[in-house]
Amino acid sequence: MSVTGVEGEERHDLTKSESKQIRKRSMRLLGSLVSPMKARIALTATVIIISTGAQVVGPALIAFGIDQGLPAVVGGDAIPLVLVVAAYLLSGLAGALLIAWYTVLMARVSQAILIELRKRVFLHTQKLSLEFHEKYTSGRIIARQTSDLDSLRELLDSGISQLVQGGLYMVFIAGALFLMDWVSGLVLLGAVVPLAFLTRWFQVRSSKVFRETRTTSARVIVHFVETMTGIRAVKAFRKEKRNEAEFGQLVEDYRDANARAINLFGVYDPGLVFIGNVALAVVLLVGGLRVADGSLAIGVLLATLLYTRSFFAPAEELAMFYNSYQSAAAALEKISGVLEEIPSVPDPDRPTDLWQAKGAVNFADVEFAYTEDRVVLPEFSLDIPAGQTIALVGSTGAGKSTLAKLIARFYDPSKGAVTLDGVELRQLHPKDLRRAIVMVTQEAYLFSGTVASNIALGKPDATRSEVIQAAKAVGAHEFIESLPDGYDTDVNKRGGRVSAGQRQLISFARAFIADPVVLILDEATASLDIPSERLVQEGLQTLLADRTAIIIAHRLSTVAIADRVLVMEHGRIIEDGPPAELIAGTGKFSQMYAAWRDSLV
Amino acid sequence: MSIDTERKLSTVAAIRRLYPYAKPAMPWIYAGMAAAMLAALVSLAIPQVLQSLVDGPLQQGDSNEIWLPVIVVLALGVLEAIMIFLRRWFVLHPGTRIEARMRNALYDKLQRLPVAFHDRWPSGQLLSRAISDLNLIRRWFAFGLVLIVVNVVTIVVGMVVLVSINWVLGLIFFVLSIPLWVYGYVFENKYSVIARRSQDQTGDLATAVEESVHGIRVLKAFGRGKEALRKFQAQAELVRGTEIEKARAIAGIWLWLLLVPDAIFAVSLLAGVWLASIGEITVGGLVAYFATATVLRWPVESIGFLLSMTLDTRTASDRFFEVMHSENRITDPENPKTIESPQGRLVFENVHFRYEDAADGTRDLINGIDLEIEPGETMALVGLTGSGKSTITALTTRLYDVTSGSIRVDGVDIRDLTLGDLRKHLAMAFEDATLFSASVRDNVLLGRPEATEDDLKEALSVAQADFVYELPDGLDTKVGEEGMSLSGGQRQRLALARAVAAKPSVLVLDDPLSALDVDTEALVEDALRHVLASTTALIVAHRPSTVQLADRVALLEQGRVTAVGKHSDLLATSEHYRFVISSLEDEQPASVDTTAEDIEDAVSIHTGTIPIINPGRSGRSAGEGGA
Ligand SMILES: Nc1ncnc2c1ncn2[C@@H]1O[C@H](COP(=O)(O)OP(=O)(O)OP(=O)(O)O)[C@@H](O)[C@H]1O
Ligand SMILES: Nc1ncnc2c1ncn2[C@@H]1O[C@H](COP(=O)(O)OP(=O)(O)OP(=O)(O)O)[C@@H](O)[C@H]1O
Ligand SMILES: [Mg+2]
Ligand SMILES: [Mg+2]
């Protein structure tokens, strides 16, 4: 069995091989992040090694001071003592300076890794298709980018120093201990056996529990984000109480998983202390007996005791490292899952350039289904010559937006091909595709930020006067001017600061400024009042003169500016022709048009 | 967003505000401290035993006497391990419960804070408070607080021990550690500013992530992934800069925390050996001194991260309380009234409203509205884009409160009803559907989860939402985040069904048919008429077809209702009404039969080539300017 991408993310019952596979994948990711920074990491490690060395010298110098310096002082010779003290001071100073340097170095490394990972996840989620996003939900992506990255940051920030320092310290100390007194060294070695068992136990348990903490915390975030996004509906439909219960349950699940993770460490850590203290007692016994029979100097015993105790102090650090490592690894598993997702609408490997698009769109034997078992657009062909303005009408759910989204390449057709000027969209260079084809979607989404920046999204290098020009062209200038800060007014999240119609006008200006050869308007005027709609349509007259346009609208007034009308029903184009002809006919459209005319006053 | 008075609180006072949340955990935290203290004492005691061993049996070379001290050392060692275990175990659950409690409290508060609050606050800032800030606070309680107390006590006790071993050496230790406290103070001031900035910037980053996902359709449509990345990266760079600055501050305190003990050790070694040489202290005493001082090293060094952790917690709690202390003016009244027999009479009386950020010197957006909607009546609300229609609908359910004047349901001011009650009487369909990523059923029954299957079916059929039965899992199909796996019209019909299913006495529908085609619209209207016959309704309308649903129409102009009446009457009497709602030339009546000529007419009319764009045009610009 194998799991790819985000599949199995919510499962806690991964088999051994699956779990291994996921772990491997996350290690690969970590490796790829770390490897470009080898040099810097090496420097950082060197610094920490030297500083650790400097610290290790400490106890030895003190032992030396007592064993050698003291008799010398008693004998009237203070020089060895002064030398020892000076050496001690020097090593201390060096150690401290190096640690301080290391702290900054490490922060640089860890931040560089984090920013790289952030960018990768960001870019990749942008590449992933809408299909993915509809299933995965924004909350989980936010969880990946926030709390999961947080646990990686924790590992990098303190973990590495714990690892290097702790590991080295232990090696140094063990080495020093062996040199000084190999019997004590052997005792220490014996202590490593239970240590290994304990660690293995911790490893197995914690990787499972940490996975749970990641999924449960993501669920908390998903719920939180969704509540805040839909706060109006939550309030209006009195969902607060129910939400409280649901959220409370999710919080409790997270708390429980978290508590179990912490608890594991709560056993592991005292376990280490226990092993260390027993080892200390044994070293004391073994050493003490030898001191008693005179085969060991007291100073040496003292040093072995100090060393033994210090050997286990970093063992705790190592345990902490291991703890944050397990937590970060669980987080990396999730992140690497997202990164492993293959975009179902991928950028072409060898893209075709199309510098000067004319705007001829063609559907050749296209069939489309969102989910395999439900075909939304049965096989059809359609040719849209460059420069034509098309009104796409039909009952709701007929598939109009879907057809439009195929042109904008939000999705790829399940069968057949969509082409622009003869180039299949799949092959077209993304930059050319996006320059040539722009779609104003049914939901007018504005980003928080100024009105101007929202309009300029259509053309990032637009000057202020171009922005104003575009706003004027769609009739949005007046209301924008009347906002407190004009074009610099913050529209708040999702454009909540402006009315629905105003949002549509702004998104429309955004498309206008982008100046594409193929413009798709999906219900772009549905929330506008009639006078504004009329203004927009006037604007469209000039705007659409030399470009291809697909206008989806239920208000058939758009038909007036169309060269051709397509009527859709259940995913099929059932009528196709110039407006006047269709209206005069007896088909669906003439009936719709009559009904619409009726409704006018 | 930072509140200045809170800034001035001392760190201790700032953190003490968390006490109510931590209270149930405090006994356990104290127990944890006691255990930790014992562990620390034990680890301090071990060197003392060593000393007596060195000075006693070892000096005398008596191997039988060694056993007892070894056993004592072993026992102490085991005790230490047990105490460490207990320390963690005591605070484990209580500690995590503090976090959970605070998280629930924050969530509840946020749900209750008015929409105006949510307009203002970026979502990532809320999220980072709910997740990472609270995580910090939990750690501090379970770990930081315990260690601070224990380490400070250890240091104090350790010093006493040192003094008792030899007062000169003890004094040296004490005096030389003074610079640490001074530096600690400097550090606090420097670090807390950075910590706060880092948390705020992390929140902004979360906002950027969220928007990049919610707005993904726009980013894709314009191919702006790269630009979004660039912006995101710039923000991430800010975070990186702050984090590195933070690391520098930490490096500064580390330096001192490592240097000072080393200096102490060096000076002590010098003095100690000299003291030993003149017989002021035994070798065993010297050994004990250093062993004890070594034990103290870690508590001293730990001050660095404990301090930074405490400051992180402090700023995190500041951020938490910024939300918790936000004033909520839209609350349940103290003595709520109830509506005995709901009729559904909705009355606006001299209602004024302006958004908080409206520019000074402008008129109120809603500038004195008087309107009465009789029980069972359907009133359409018509006005230009941005004239304040949606705002009025939001006022009726108290998503915002009126600035002055009152709105009454069945004679009761809506501010005298509990929010729950009010919203039971009144159900809304918003202009954007606002669905949740739950099943169709849950979405439709949002306002009345206890409704029967029949109610559900009925609501769906009123909204002509029979398409749901054809979805893969029927009523149990998940509609995707924000209903994005449905078509626009399907979303809107579910939102309508949701309002209908709530069976309120007043229905407030904001442009409920805008995404429907003509046929479906007609079907929905027919079905809706039955419901509206017995239900009071306020319906925002942009199109004449929607207005058809209404008994009367209210025209919103310049923040006032300037005309109320039957559609046909208003058409005849109000020029502004004609301007807002009419697509045809003033004199031309709506023609029923469509001849080819008519069509040509209509077509040319809408092209705008014929100058039908009439006097109202100037009215338009003035009309919405004031908002
Ligand atoms: N992302 C999606 N995943 C699955 N099914 C979808 C998705 N988007 C749309 N559909 C389904 O495909 C069909 C066509 O939807 P589409 O959005 O193209 O309709 P439309 O003609 O634009 O309707 P409307 O006028 O209501 O916007 C509908 O039945 C809808 O439920
Ligand atoms: N949250 C807000 N904060 C400040 N101003 C706002 C806010 N929401 C809306 N406005 C402003 O108030 C005015 C009225 O907005 P509202 O949404 O009520 O208009 P509307 O009549 O519903 O328009 P539409 O027909 O476009 O939906 C607009 O000019 C808008 O810019
Ligand atoms: Mg659509
Ligand atoms: Mg509105």
Side-chain angles (χ1 to χ4, degrees):
Chain A
M1 272 235 267
S2 77
V3 281
T4 45
V6 298
E7 190 189 332
E9 193 174 84
E10 295 278 315
R11 270 170 47 207
H12 296 312
D13 57 344
L14 296 171
T15 64
K16 253 197 175 147
S17 71
E18 285 172 337
S19 153
K20 227 187 192 154
Q21 180 201 355
I22 290 181
R23 201 29 82 97
K24 253 201 192 137
R25 167 180 90 190
S26 66
M27 287 307 101
R28 263 203 311 278
L29 173 62
L30 189 60
S32 77
L33 289 167
V34 165
S35 63
M37 258 165 284
K38 271 189 203 125
R40 260 202 275 178
I41 292 177
L43 172 65
T44 315
T46 316
V47 170
I48 197 79
I49 289 171
I50 300 174
S51 83
T52 309
Q55 280 175 307
V56 177
V57 191
L61 286 175
I62 290 180
F64 184 82
I66 295 177
D67 286 346
Q68 311 292 319
L70 180 53
V73 173
V74 174
D77 176 13
I79 292 174
L81 177 63
V82 172
L83 281 179
V84 168
V85 170
Y88 189 90
L89 264 181
L90 265 180
S91 73
L93 184 65
L97 280 175
L98 286 171
I99 292 261
W101 188 26
Y102 158 83
T103 308
V104 179
L105 276 179
M106 193 59 228
R108 282 188 201 286
V109 170
S110 98
Q111 288 300 319
I113 291 178
L114 284 175
I115 218 167
E116 169 66 22
L117 189 55
R118 281 216 158 92
K119 269 162 47 188
R120 275 197 214 177
V121 175
F122 188 93
L123 198 61
H124 195 73
T125 49
Q126 287 295 321
K127 282 206 179 118
L128 286 170
S129 61
L130 295 179
E131 193 188 332
F132 173 84
H133 285 286
E134 273 150 20
K135 280 203 307 274
Y136 197 66
T137 69
S138 60
R140 280 206 267 168
I141 288 179
I142 296 168
R144 303 288 90 91
Q145 280 272 29
T146 55
S147 71
D148 285 359
L149 276 177
D150 265 353
S151 55
L152 182 62
R153 182 175 55 84
E154 252 154 50
L155 171 70
L156 293 171
D157 273 0
S158 54
I160 304 288
S161 83
Q162 283 160 349
L163 170 70
V164 175
Q165 221 177 351
L168 275 176
Y169 216 71
M170 289 174 84
V171 172
F172 275 135
I173 288 173
L177 192 59
F178 265 102
L179 283 181
M180 201 166 266
D181 176 37
W182 62 269
V183 182
S184 307
L186 282 185
V187 173
L188 204 62
L189 211 57
V192 170
V193 178
L195 203 92
F197 276 106
L198 187 64
T199 305
R200 176 72 193 153
W201 168 84
F202 178 71
Q203 179 193 3
V204 172
R205 293 294 190 86
S206 67
S207 57
K208 186 169 179 308
V209 177
F210 275 119
R211 254 176 222 149
E212 274 182 55
T213 65
R214 293 295 96 212
T215 29
T216 49
S217 88
R219 280 188 210 141
V220 169
I221 292 177
V222 168
H223 189 95
F224 186 91
V225 169
E226 197 164 30
T227 306
M228 297 310 143
T229 311
I231 189 74
R232 283 166 189 259
V234 167
K235 282 173 177 292
F237 291 95
R238 294 168 291 125
K239 188 150 190 271
E240 293 101 334
K241 280 263 153 37
R242 278 166 281 155
N243 266 344
E244 237 163 76
E246 278 168 37
F247 188 73
Q249 186 55 50
L250 294 177
V251 166
E252 175 58 23
D253 290 346
Y254 174 45
R255 189 201 70 77
D256 181 60
N258 216 0
R260 274 182 288 138
I262 302 171
N263 193 28
L264 282 180
F265 189 66
V267 173
Y268 186 49
D269 179 34
L272 285 178
V273 174
F274 177 80
I275 295 173
N277 282 343
V278 172
L280 182 74
V282 176
V283 168
L284 177 62
L285 179 65
V286 176
L289 288 175
R290 282 177 299 152
V291 171
D293 68 22
S295 59
L296 197 70
I298 291 190
V300 175
L301 174 62
L302 181 65
T304 55
L305 289 176
L306 280 184
Y307 276 141
T308 309
R309 224 177 142 72
S310 332
F311 179 83
F312 282 93
E316 236 188 305
E317 300 249 300
L318 270 186
M320 279 205 258
F321 162 78
Y322 201 55
N323 192 47
S324 36
Y325 170 81
Q326 290 286 37
S327 161
L332 272 175
E333 285 176 9
K334 308 286 172 198
I335 295 174
S336 62
V338 173
L339 289 176
E340 199 185 45
E341 279 289 321
I342 299 162
S344 58
V345 183
D347 287 345
D349 289 333
R350 267 180 292 141
T352 312
D353 286 320
L354 186 65
W355 292 106
Q356 277 297 326
K358 287 194 280 299
V361 178
N362 185 275
F363 290 77
D365 306 321
V366 168
E367 181 183 292
F368 180 75
Y370 286 104
T371 47
E372 270 160 38
D373 47 340
R374 242 176 112 237
V375 175
V376 173
L377 301 180
E379 194 171 308
F380 72 104
S381 294
L382 174 67
D383 187 58
I384 304 174
Q388 199 169 55
T389 300
I390 292 203
L392 186 54
V393 301
S395 49
T396 103
K400 305 179 294 294
S401 302
T402 307
L403 189 141
K405 285 179 195 162
L406 289 181
I407 304 178
R409 203 175 176 227
F410 280 14
Y411 301 91
D412 276 337
S414 328
K415 272 194 217 139
V418 184
T419 59
L420 173 67
D421 293 349
V423 182
E424 195 178 336
L425 296 187
R426 283 197 183 94
Q427 300 305 324
L428 192 56
H429 197 295
K431 72 162 183 349
D432 292 323
L433 172 70
R434 296 304 169 197
R435 210 159 35 85
I437 303 178
V438 158
M439 172 166 176
V440 179
T441 54
Q442 211 161 350
E443 11 346 276
Y445 187 94
L446 299 191
F447 294 88
S448 56
T450 64
V451 175
S453 72
N454 267 292
I455 296 179
L457 190 103
K459 186 179 176 197
D461 53 351
T463 61
R464 178 51 65 92
S465 70
E466 281 176 293
V467 168
I468 294 176
Q469 204 51 47
K472 279 189 175 148
V474 303
H477 180 70
E478 282 159 16
F479 99 78
I480 296 174
E481 284 284 272
S482 73
L483 293 171
D485 298 313
Y487 282 83
D488 295 316
T489 311
D490 192 332
V491 297
N492 287 354
K493 55 183 159 196
R494 307 190 145 225
R497 169 74 184 70
V498 291
S499 84
Q502 293 167 342
R503 271 199 293 280
Q504 285 206 321
L505 287 176
I506 294 176
S507 354
F508 200 45
R510 178 151 78 192
F512 190 93
I513 205 173
D515 192 27
V517 281
V518 180
L519 180 63
I520 307 164
L521 301 175
D522 192 354
E523 293 282 343
T525 56
S527 306
L528 286 181
D529 58 24
I530 289 171
S532 312
E533 186 177 28
R534 204 150 46 200
L535 273 183
V536 166
Q537 266 163 24
E538 267 181 71
L540 280 178
Q541 286 268 302
T542 35
L543 175 66
L544 300 184
D546 51 355
R547 53 189 103 221
T548 312
I550 291 103
I551 306 176
I552 302 174
H554 291 307
R555 313 290 146 234
L556 299 184
S557 47
T558 32
V559 170
I561 53 171
D563 304 320
R564 175 178 171 194
V565 175
L566 296 176
V567 185
M568 285 189 82
E569 186 89 48
H570 301 303
R572 290 178 200 282
I573 299 172
I574 52 169
E575 285 173 38
D576 178 355
E581 199 174 287
L582 289 186
I583 292 170
T586 54
K588 171 89 183 159
F589 185 68
S590 96
Q591 171 252 320
M592 280 170 75
Y593 192 81
W596 173 71
R597 280 279 302 176
D598 269 1
S599 75
L600 296 185
V601 287
Chain B
M1 243 158 267
S2 64
I3 295 165
D4 271 353
T5 52
E6 301 204 347
R7 267 299 152 100
K8 287 177 198 120
L9 284 179
S10 72
T11 300
V12 175
I15 290 181
R16 201 158 42 204
R17 291 184 297 173
L18 295 172
Y19 184 74
Y21 300 98
K23 196 170 169 214
M26 285 324 279
W28 294 102
I29 292 178
Y30 294 139
M33 283 177 191
M37 209 95 78
L38 254 174
L41 287 181
V42 168
S43 65
L44 273 176
I46 293 178
Q48 315 314 315
V49 180
L50 292 181
Q51 177 194 6
S52 67
L53 189 66
V54 172
D55 285 349
L58 290 183
Q59 295 281 357
Q60 290 133 31
D62 183 349
S63 55
N64 287 329
E65 301 270 324
I66 291 173
W67 285 98
L68 182 64
V70 167
I71 288 171
V72 172
V73 167
L74 183 65
L76 287 175
V78 173
L79 190 63
E80 186 188 3
I82 292 176
M83 285 303 142
I84 291 180
F85 172 80
L86 285 180
R87 181 197 99 204
R88 290 182 175 279
W89 189 75
F90 281 145
V91 295
L92 171 66
H93 287 280
T96 51
R97 284 206 182 96
I98 297 179
E99 183 186 9
R101 203 174 296 128
M102 289 179 72
R103 190 163 284 142
N104 283 321
L106 182 69
Y107 180 79
D108 294 353
K109 174 84 185 178
L110 284 172
Q111 283 204 95
R112 278 171 177 74
L113 277 169
V115 173
F117 173 91
H118 290 273
D119 287 345
R120 248 185 1 254
W121 279 68
S123 40
Q125 288 295 356
L126 301 180
L127 183 72
S128 66
R129 278 166 172 77
I131 307 296
S132 42
D133 286 359
L134 296 187
N135 191 357
L136 276 175
I137 291 175
R138 188 231 333 134
R139 283 176 191 218
W140 186 81
F141 271 110
F143 186 67
L145 178 58
V146 171
L147 280 191
I148 288 172
V149 172
V150 170
N151 287 355
V152 168
V153 171
T154 311
I155 292 173
V156 172
V157 173
M159 283 202 191
V160 172
V161 172
L162 290 181
V163 171
S164 75
I165 292 173
N166 182 285
W167 69 269
V168 183
L169 290 180
L171 206 63
I172 290 177
F173 193 100
F174 180 71
V175 172
L176 286 182
S177 57
I178 288 173
L180 279 186
W181 304 107
V182 178
Y183 193 82
Y185 180 75
V186 176
F187 176 76
E188 171 178 348
N189 290 331
K190 192 157 73 181
Y191 186 83
S192 38
V193 179
I194 311 174
R196 173 68 207 229
R197 193 177 340 130
S198 145
Q199 287 162 355
D200 285 347
Q201 287 174 345
T202 314
D204 289 341
L205 204 60
T207 309
V209 172
E210 179 173 339
E211 292 210 322
S212 76
V213 186
H214 281 154
I216 187 125
R217 285 170 188 78
V218 173
L219 292 175
K220 273 192 190 294
F222 288 87
R224 291 287 172 255
K226 289 261 159 53
E227 277 76 14
L229 175 68
R230 212 169 301 142
K231 249 177 83 183
F232 175 75
Q233 191 178 350
Q235 265 177 320
E237 289 291 352
L238 282 184
V239 173
R240 177 195 342 221
T242 309
E243 288 298 321
I244 287 175
E245 213 177 307
K246 211 160 140 185
R248 284 219 184 86
I250 293 176
I253 195 164
W254 258 106
L255 186 65
W256 284 95
L257 288 170
L258 289 169
L259 261 187
V260 168
D262 272 333
I264 292 174
F265 268 59
V267 175
S268 302
L269 183 59
L270 199 62
V273 170
W274 175 73
L275 284 173
S277 73
I278 58 170
E280 279 290 309
I281 184 171
T282 61
V283 175
L286 206 53
V287 170
Y289 176 85
F290 280 109
T292 312
T294 308
V295 173
L296 291 188
R297 261 200 100 120
W298 145 247
V300 170
E301 284 174 16
S302 73
I303 291 171
F305 80 80
L306 286 177
L307 201 57
S308 60
M309 191 176 183
T310 306
L311 295 173
D312 283 338
T313 304
R314 185 250 148 93
T315 47
S317 84
D318 284 352
R319 280 162 50 89
F320 174 75
F321 282 111
E322 277 166 20
V323 172
M324 295 306 285
H325 290 169
S326 289
E327 199 187 354
N328 185 2
R329 286 202 207 87
I330 303 184
T331 51
D332 287 340
E334 259 169 42
N335 302 307
K337 293 188 182 154
T338 49
I339 299 173
E340 294 306 331
S341 55
Q343 308 278 310
R345 179 195 306 277
L346 182 63
V347 177
F348 294 79
E349 195 179 286
N350 194 21
V351 171
H352 283 261
F353 177 76
R354 63 190 293 130
Y355 284 105
E356 278 167 32
D357 61 350
D360 291 333
T362 53
R363 69 158 167 85
D364 288 351
L365 175 65
I366 305 300
N367 202 11
I369 283 187
D370 291 295
L371 187 64
E372 280 189 38
I373 308 172
E374 300 296 328
E377 190 183 28
T378 302
M379 177 75 79
L381 185 60
V382 170
L384 290 170
T385 275
S387 56
K389 303 179 295 299
S390 302
T391 307
I392 291 176
T393 63
L395 291 178
T396 58
T397 38
R398 294 189 74 198
L399 292 179
Y400 298 92
D401 257 351
V402 297
T403 324
S404 70
S406 68
I407 300 175
R408 290 196 302 270
V409 175
D410 290 331
V412 183
D413 189 318
I414 55 173
R415 283 167 296 187
D416 291 334
L417 293 168
T418 62
L419 289 168
D421 229 14
L422 169 66
R423 289 166 187 170
K424 211 168 9 200
H425 288 302
L426 230 134
M428 289 212 34
F430 298 97
E431 49 197 348
D432 41 1
T434 336
L435 300 181
F436 294 96
S437 61
S439 66
V440 169
R441 183 194 310 274
D442 289 350
N443 268 298
V444 174
L445 294 186
L446 190 66
R448 213 159 58 100
E450 71 278 7
T452 62
E453 199 70 12
D454 285 343
D455 292 337
L456 171 66
K457 294 213 162 106
E458 193 193 318
L460 286 171
S461 85
V462 168
Q464 296 295 310
D466 300 315
F467 69 90
V468 295
Y469 302 111
E470 283 150 36
L471 293 174
D473 300 318
L475 286 170
D476 296 314
T477 314
K478 295 232 175 202
V479 299
E481 193 174 18
E482 299 183 45
M484 282 304 175
S485 55
L486 297 173
S487 88
Q490 291 171 338
R491 271 201 301 275
Q492 194 171 45
R493 278 176 287 161
L494 283 193
L496 181 60
R498 180 167 71 185
V500 171
K503 294 225 158 145
S505 49
V506 181
L507 260 177
V508 180
L509 308 176
D510 195 350
D511 209 3
L513 309 172
S514 64
L516 303 185
D517 61 279
V518 199
D519 293 342
T520 314
E521 186 179 8
L523 289 174
V524 174
E525 282 184 17
D526 282 345
L528 208 51
R529 271 202 189 94
H530 291 292
V531 178
L532 294 183
S534 56
T535 311
T536 313
L538 178 64
I539 303 181
V540 173
H542 274 312
R543 313 280 163 217
S545 50
T546 320
V547 174
Q548 304 294 345
L549 270 176
D551 303 315
R552 288 193 298 161
V553 185
L555 176 65
L556 186 63
E557 186 184 359
Q558 299 277 18
R560 286 219 167 83
V561 172
T562 53
V564 186
K566 287 211 176 347
H567 173 61
S568 49
D569 295 347
L570 288 187
L571 266 186
T573 55
S574 167
E575 189 186 327
H576 186 66
Y577 186 66
R578 277 198 299 277
F579 167 63
V580 174
I581 205 83
S582 168
S583 331
L584 306 176
E585 225 169 331
D586 287 353
E587 310 82 56
Q588 189 178 351
S591 70
V592 179
D593 54 330
T594 41
T595 63
E597 273 161 48
D598 254 356
I599 291 151
E600 288 302 322
D601 256 8
V603 170
S604 57
I605 283 164
H606 301 298
T607 56
T609 44
I610 295 171
I612 49 146
I613 311 230
N614 49 34
R617 195 164 188 186
S618 53
R620 172 178 191 276
S621 39
E624 59 187 4

